Amino acid sequence: MAYDAQEVEARWQKAWADAGAFEVEVDSSKPKFYCLEMFPYPSGSMHMGHVRNYSIGDAMARFHRLMGSNVLYPMGYDSFGMPAENAAKKEGGHPHTVTHRNIASIRADQERMGYSYDWRRFLATSDVDYYHWNQRMFLMLNERGLVERRMAPVNWCVDCDTVLANEQVKNNRCWRCGLEVVQRDMAQWFLRMTEYSDELLDELDNIAFPENVKAMQRNWIGRSHGAHIDFPVAGSEAVIGTFTTRPDTIFGVTFVTLSPEHPLCEELCAGTEWEADWSKLRDECARMSEFERINMLKEKKGVFLGRHAINPLNGEEVPIYAGNFVVASYGTGAVMAVPGHDQRDYDFAERYDIEIRRVLLERAGDDPDAALSGAFEGYGPMVNSGRDAFDGLAGDEAKDAVIAALEGHGSGYGTIEYRLKDWLLSRQRFWGTPIPMIHCEACGIVPVPAADLPVELPLDVTFSEEQSGNPLASHDAFVNTTCPSCEGAAKRETDTMDTFYDSSWYFMRFCDASNDAAPFDRETVDYWMDDGVDLYIGGIEHAVMHLLYARFFTKATRDAGMNAVGEPFGRLICQGMLNAPAPFCADCNAEYHVDNFGGDCPTCGKPLGTRSAKMGKSLGNTISPGDMLGRYGADTIRLFILFGANPEAGMDWSDSALEANHRQMHVIIDAVDSALSMDDSPGPMDDWLNARLRANQRAWREAMGNVSLREGVMVSHFEMLSDWNWYRHRGGCDRATASAFLKGWIPMLSPATPHVAEEFWQMTGGEGLLATLVLPDAGESVGDTAVLARETYLRNVIDSARNLRGLAERHTEGEISRVVIQTAVAWKAELAQDAIRLDSEGFDFKAQGQAHLQSLEIFKNEALRGEIFQTWMAMTTGSKKKRGRIHTWSDGERTLISSGLDEAGILAANAGFLAAALDVDSVEAYSVGDGEDVAGKARVAFPLEPGIAFL
């Protein structure tokens, strides 16, 4: 068969589209399967990372169609965001133009790969018919009390006179002008995500996310049980509220630390000698993001504020510091510092010569006055409290006692804190969903009425690189409006929504994408979203932000009565990275652009090596799918991607591996050609091929169902081919058998290589399109196990003989011309049958085995008694180093033995085939004692372990 990938793939893609093969509707008579990849930002052309993601999803969608599921498999684009806005500034155009040009490009690439999307459900989040519903649901959230406007710190560039998103800040500098960014408080819109903190955390125990994703979300939510403790400021009415998870360490507090932004800082040190140092530290912290303060702080610094706080339980006055490691938004923005039992506090205390006090013992009986060489952060008995009833308490008992004392004193209480913060939704940029709120001097902030939605982005804005700020703010036609309450002059909100909002519910819109009356219909979304999206595929980088926002949104819409499900994703697969070689400097531990291959390190000047690194534009180690499509076609690329590694594992790009997969495609094509050219010639191998088909289909279904795609492709594209070649090698050549084999094999090829499979299906006279076929369960025949075991036995004998041949040739002077195979004597096979029968009945060989052996007729033969005993023990109980044989035999081997094993007969019947396989003139086979003992009795101790001699 001449196979032109370009022609064949284009032809079948058109046939699928013309037939609407992948278009689905609600059908309660079928099990549904909702397969979805995290939709892409349309940056232009598709790259190989995309190809891997979509090839995984498409293979699973096609597999589940074969299994009879009603498969929803849509595609859309996360098309709002800064890159399009920046591109528009460079072009002097509009983000809408840039976005739709890029969407057209990436969609063409996806269609060329043959992905089986229901394109009727296409959406782009920047299209008004999508963000209309963003705004509608914002109003719903506002009505439910989940929207709030309040002051919050933002990144501000003084030179550009604009707010910057976190993504626009690199190394604390503005991406455009390079000036250092400062923090500034501004009025911002929030979604009150913290209302769902407990449910978001607790439900992680009940969803099928990878454990590392669950751990990241648990850490992000950060629920902590502890105590709120008030420290009065000496000589003042002010009180410092702190939160701690370790109230049992309260008697070890030797200082209190405030975040430099804490409002008390200025109040405490204003007009004093300490003010200048505090002001400097505050400005320094203002130039850092919260993330950098928490995760990337190189040096813990602080300044004394000149005042003291009073420990509420012992009355001791301790100094108050401002410290750069305390963040205003976490907890209360103040911490009680216990350097003896917190390493961060210990380091700070050592630097500023603050007392370090032991108030917990690591072990009962330790010296309570011994100096500490580092913080003990564990739990142990309290000491040095200076108050009755505390010393000796440990763990929860100690915590509860301290909390009870604080509550009795009116100085604190037990509480729960969360690391999770409300979702800051506002973005001071153009290319996002306009927030549907109106500012009226008379009425305040008023929601846009639902009937007046959508609030559309103006298309008559021209962008340029000289612009600063948000173009919406200076667009009079957009900004100036009428108050819906008093009908007076008003201003529209010019902030737009964080683009994570767009991706927090798109999976529900896909269920009902053409609905022009609501975001989605309840009955429709409940059908497709029952138990969530069945398979959701995307990168680990979205573990916290997107996945957490989507979980919150689904719970909020559930509580609004819009859907039944509370968790959006049933099973999450985080695909591994696709890597390619890049120049690497071991001394600098850094990768460089591929232009540096063969050169020296740009940093240290030493010769560069190479290592595998994630494909990316910054390194230039990307591969164009377009180039590969032109050379090999889509199916070869898909096979390479899916066979290269299971979805969660990383994989390396390899030109040679791609070429090898291309060759494999052509070997499969040749195999199908040979199967179609056979005559009617039934033979003994037909039953074996049919049995292998059934066994392989079971293994393939299990692997694919578990999203173990590499194992699935190994069966469909390699093991099935290997079985066909073995069938032919063993003389099989029956037309009917070959036809039945192809009817079972070709559908197995289609998830990974759908175009060539569809071509094969047509060639074999398959009914309809393979893309819409439901594959019948091949089932299992009663005799399959024995049929397969006999052939496996022959293959094992050949493998063993080939391994021995080299040794035999080294020890034989003449030319090897024949092989003698000796099998175990008949009584050993009978003994093995008896042992297998007893084992299946749950027989206790250790307790009853010897008595049973002595009851057997053969044990009366005194000459054989020793050998019988050794054989029985080795078969049933084994030794310290080796289990009994009955525990190592496969189901097939046990069936073969139980059915009355005649090893010598099997081998003799296939002597001609064995001789050809072993490249000798003849093969003889007989049991020990039935002929010349050339193989040695000692080597033929058990059934299925024949002795082999080359002569």
Side-chain angles (χ1 to χ4, degrees), residues 194-494:
T194 51
E195 293 294 308
Y196 288 84
S197 297
D198 285 321
E199 187 180 354
L200 287 168
L201 183 62
D202 295 339
E203 282 300 309
L204 286 171
D205 294 333
N206 303 319
I207 58 178
F209 280 14
E211 285 305 316
N212 60 334
V213 174
K214 289 185 179 184
M216 292 168 74
Q217 291 207 4
R218 287 190 182 104
N219 181 62
W220 192 264
I221 296 167
R223 183 167 64 195
S224 301
H225 294 263
H228 177 94
I229 304 176
D230 288 327
F231 287 77
V233 177
S236 168
E237 295 296 317
V239 174
I240 300 172
T242 67
F243 171 79
T244 179
T245 61
R246 297 298 303 273
D248 54 325
T249 66
I250 189 169
F251 297 106
V253 174
T254 57
F255 62 102
V256 171
T257 314
L258 306 179
S259 70
E261 310 93 329
H262 196 293
L264 266 180
C265 287
E266 185 170 12
E267 179 182 330
L268 295 178
C269 69
T272 71
E273 61 184 293
W274 318 106
E275 183 177 13
D277 287 342
W278 162 74
S279 181
K280 181 179 178 183
L281 181 66
R282 180 198 59 188
D283 293 345
E284 182 179 303
C285 290
R287 292 191 292 271
M288 301 175 68
S289 69
E290 181 176 312
F291 178 85
E292 289 169 316
R293 293 265 297 282
I294 294 172
N295 298 287
M296 302 171 64
L297 201 61
K298 295 179 180 178
E299 183 183 20
K300 296 179 180 67
K301 296 193 297 187
V303 295
F304 178 51
L305 296 177
R307 302 292 290 273
H308 290 75
I310 301 171
N311 187 320
L313 289 192
N314 62 12
E316 184 177 10
E317 292 191 7
V318 296
I320 304 171
Y321 281 78
N324 65 350
F325 58 90
V326 182
V327 179
S329 62
Y330 185 67
T332 64
V335 298
M336 65 176 220
V338 186
H341 302 286
D342 182 284
Q343 192 60 44
R344 180 187 62 179
D345 297 341
Y346 183 95
D347 296 338
F348 190 91
E350 280 215 315
R351 175 170 182 170
Y352 293 101
D353 197 24
I354 303 171
E355 180 188 358
I356 298 172
R357 183 183 304 165
R358 181 196 295 271
V359 294
L360 298 177
L361 295 180
E362 191 166 351
R363 290 172 296 274
D366 285 354
D367 182 359
D369 299 318
L372 287 161
S373 58
F376 166 56
E377 297 182 318
Y379 290 92
M382 292 178 68
V383 293
N384 299 325
S385 69
R387 289 185 55 169
D388 294 338
F390 285 106
D391 285 356
L393 300 180
D396 289 340
E397 186 181 13
K399 289 182 178 182
D400 292 344
V402 171
I403 290 172
L406 289 166
E407 291 175 343
H409 192 266
S411 300
Y413 49 87
T415 187
I416 300 173
E417 288 282 338
Y418 298 87
R419 184 171 181 264
L420 182 69
K421 298 294 180 286
D422 286 334
W423 180 0
L424 197 165
L425 190 68
S426 297
R427 294 295 182 269
Q428 290 74 29
R429 58 177 178 240
F430 176 87
W431 198 231
T433 300
I435 293 176
M437 290 292 192
I438 291 172
H439 299 266
C440 173
E441 288 189 5
C443 304
I445 299 176
V446 182
V448 173
D452 293 345
L453 296 179
V455 177
E456 296 190 41
L457 289 169
L459 296 179
D460 59 348
V461 176
T462 301
F463 287 76
S464 70
E465 293 190 287
E466 290 72 37
Q467 281 177 331
S468 65
N470 181 357
L472 280 179
S474 57
H475 193 284
D476 291 343
F478 176 84
V479 172
N480 296 320
T481 188
T482 301
C483 174
S485 295
C486 69
E487 298 186 355
K491 304 284 186 182
R492 289 195 188 279
E493 173 62 65
T494 57

Side-chain angles (χ1 to χ4, degrees), residues 583-593 596-609:
F584 174 68
C585 177
D587 286 40
C588 299
N589 192 32
E591 293 124 3
Y592 295 95
H593 195 275
N596 293 284
F597 265 132
D600 295 331
C601 175
T603 304
C604 70
K606 293 184 178 179
L608 287 170

